[in-house]
Amino acid sequence: MLDVAIIGFGVVGSGAYDTVADGRTPLRVKKVLDLAVRPGFEGIMTTDYNEILSDPSIAIVAESIGGLHPAREFVLSALKAGKHVVTANKLLMANCYRELMETAAANGVCIRFTPAAGGGIPWLSTLRRTARGGQIRKIQGILNGTTNFILDKMDQKAADFDDVLAEAQALGYAEKDPSSDIDGLDVRYKIALSCNVATGLTAAPEEIPAFGIRYIRKCDFEWMKAQGLTCKLLGNYRLHEDGAVSLFVQPTLVSSHSLFASVEKNFNLVQLTGDRVGDLAFYGQGAGKDPTGFALVQDMLDLAEATPEVAYVYKEAAVDNSRTFFRYYVRTPDGAVTLTDSISVCAAQDLYKTLPEGTFVAAFAE
Ligand code: HSE
C-alpha cells in the first residue's frame, strides 16, 4: 500500500477519497486536511498540515483546496518535503506552472495535474505523451462543462441563460464565482495549460483573449437555428512555423451536424492535430465530483509507477493572435445582427471594446 494525503475535502477531494476508499487501488488515504475535522473521519482528518509534511510514509499529496493561496504555498512545501503532488487546480497550475515544475524537478519529485483541464478525460496526460517526439500543431476544444451545459440546454430546450446557469451551479459544475466559467476565464487556464504541456512554453493566462457567453440570448439561438448552426465555447491553440502560438477562447458557430454540436450536458470534447499522429479527439465528463476525483487518483497511480520528471527548460511563449482569422457574428443589445469579414482574433477583440455592453460575439467555425 502507498500512503497518500488529500488536502481540501470539497467536491474534488471527496471524489478522490471515495475512489480510493473503494479499495481497488494500491493506495491508502492516510490523512485528509481541511479547516475542520468532519464527524466520522476523526481517525484520518487533521487541521494541521505539518502532520502531513512531517510524515515520511506519505509519498503523494493531492491538492484539492482550489484557488491560488494557500494552495501554492501548500504545494511548494509538499514538493520541498520530497512528496509528489497531484492537483486539479487549473488556476494554480496555469499561473505558477514554471515555478511548480522547476521546484518539483529540483526536489526529485513530480507534479501531475490531469484533471485541471478536461475533468475526467485523460486529456493532459495523453497530450503529454503525444507531444513526445512530435509537434502538436493545433488544439481546439470544449473545455468547460458549465458553459456546455448552458449552451446545450439553450439550444435544445430554448431555455433562458439565467435558469440553466442556476441548474449548472446546483449540479456542482460551476466555479464558486461562475463568472470564471461564463466569461471564458476557466477555459483560458485550461488552454494555457494545454499549451504548456504540448510545447513546454509558458503563457500567462491574462495574455489569452477570451470572449465568453455571458450575453448570449434566446434570439441568438433562433438566428443560428435558421442557419443550421449552434454555438460552442472553444479554447484554441495554434502553433505557427516560427514557434509563435495563437491562444484564444471564443464562442464559435458550428454546424448542427458537427462533432462539437453533438456534445451534450457537462461533457467536454477536445481535439488535437499532431504532425505525425494526425487528428485525435477526446470526449468525457469535464466537471463533477466523481469524474474529476477519479482523474486525480489516476495521476496518483501514474506517480506510483513513475520516475521523476526529466528536467525541462521552460521558455515563455510568443503569443500572437494577429494571424488567426475568422468571420464573426455580432449581435448588439438592440437585437441587430452584423456579420464581419474575415478578421484576426486581435481585431475582433479591439472591435468588441468599441461595442455596447450586452453585445454577443461568436466566431464562425473555420
Ligand atoms: N467549472 C468547471 C467546468 C469545472 O464547468 O468545467 C471543471 O474544471
Side-chain angles (χ1 to χ4, degrees):
M1 281 288 165
L2 186 75
D3 283 336
V4 303
I6 295 174
I7 58 173
F9 209 30
V11 173
V12 176
S14 58
Y17 177 87
D18 290 351
T19 298
V20 176
D22 281 347
R24 298 192 200 108
T25 72
L27 304 176
R28 182 177 66 158
V29 178
K30 188 164 183 197
K31 289 279 173 204
V32 175
L33 176 84
D34 212 311
L35 294 174
V37 173
R38 204 173 291 179
F41 291 89
E42 289 82 358
I44 58 164
M45 277 195 85
T46 177
T47 56
D48 179 5
Y49 189 38
N50 284 320
E51 278 187 32
I52 293 170
L53 286 181
S54 63
D55 184 338
S57 73
I58 294 175
I60 302 175
V61 171
E63 183 277 313
S64 46
I65 303 169
L68 213 43
H69 304 289
R72 172 180 164 272
E73 291 68 27
F74 280 20
V75 166
L76 285 171
S77 46
L79 296 171
K80 287 176 186 164
K83 300 182 189 306
H84 299 303
V85 170
V86 298
T87 177
N89 191 333
K90 59 230 154 180
L91 180 71
L92 173 68
M93 286 310 305
N95 280 294
C96 307
Y97 186 81
R98 182 173 177 166
E99 178 187 33
L100 296 177
M101 297 299 278
E102 287 181 347
T103 305
N107 288 280
V109 289
C110 299
I111 179 163
R112 292 286 163 81
F113 46 91
T114 302
I121 308 172
W123 159 241
L124 290 179
S125 51
T126 311
L127 180 61
R128 186 169 167 276
R129 296 184 74 239
T130 312
R132 296 177 303 192
Q135 216 174 34
I136 307 296
R137 298 256 164 92
K138 178 176 171 182
I139 295 170
Q140 187 171 39
I142 297 172
L143 285 164
N144 183 270
T146 302
T147 48
N148 199 64
F149 185 86
I150 294 171
L151 294 171
D152 180 45
K153 277 251 165 138
M154 288 184 80
D155 180 273
Q156 297 296 317
K157 308 265 188 259
D160 274 322
F161 180 87
D162 293 334
D163 295 341
V164 274
L165 171 60
E167 212 180 317
Q169 285 177 290
L171 286 165
Y173 303 151
E175 299 301 304
K176 278 184 196 137
D177 174 4
S179 300
S180 179
D181 296 300
I182 64 181
D183 292 331
L185 310 184
D186 178 79
V187 180
R188 198 154 85 155
Y189 301 133
K190 292 168 177 173
I191 204 70
L193 275 180
S194 299
C195 173
N196 296 154
V197 172
T199 60
L201 298 172
T202 61
E206 58 277 7
E207 267 194 83
I208 302 175
F211 287 130
I213 62 157
R214 177 181 289 272
Y215 297 119
I216 197 164
R217 296 290 173 261
K218 276 183 185 179
C219 62
D220 298 309
F221 280 95
E222 283 158 12
W223 188 92
M224 291 182 253
K225 268 198 187 319
Q227 316 289 323
L229 300 169
T230 189
C231 182
K232 295 292 181 185
L233 182 64
L234 300 185
N236 292 275
Y237 150 96
R238 307 274 190 283
L239 178 65
H240 300 289
E241 290 296 328
D242 61 0
V245 291
S246 293
L247 295 169
F248 52 97
V249 179
Q250 57 191 10
T252 305
L253 305 184
V254 297
S255 160
S256 303
H257 304 294
S258 64
L259 195 55
F260 280 128
S262 67
V263 179
E264 296 181 327
K265 301 180 191 157
N266 68 323
F267 282 79
N268 286 190
L269 171 69
V270 56
Q271 299 179 327
L272 68 80
T273 306
D275 58 343
R276 301 227 174 257
V277 76
D279 293 338
L280 297 175
F282 305 86
Y283 170 82
Q285 284 194 70
K289 174 181 163 178
D290 285 340
T292 312
F294 184 79
L296 201 63
V297 173
Q298 292 303 315
D299 274 356
M300 293 190 221
L301 292 168
D302 284 349
L303 285 177
E305 296 166 358
T307 52
E309 305 267 353
V310 180
Y312 287 100
V313 178
Y314 297 98
K315 287 196 301 182
E316 279 178 28
V319 180
D320 183 351
N321 287 311
S322 67
R323 6 178 170 167
T324 311
F325 294 83
F326 296 88
R327 287 171 58 239
Y328 285 87
Y329 164 96
V330 179
R331 194 261 306 131
T332 42
D334 61 5
V337 171
T338 311
L339 307 182
T340 71
D341 292 334
S342 182
I343 58 174
S344 73
V345 173
C346 279
Q349 290 284 325
D350 290 343
L351 171 67
Y352 187 66
K353 287 178 198 142
T354 68
L355 296 167
E357 165 107 27
T359 299
F360 175 68
V361 174
F364 284 90
E366 289 153 297

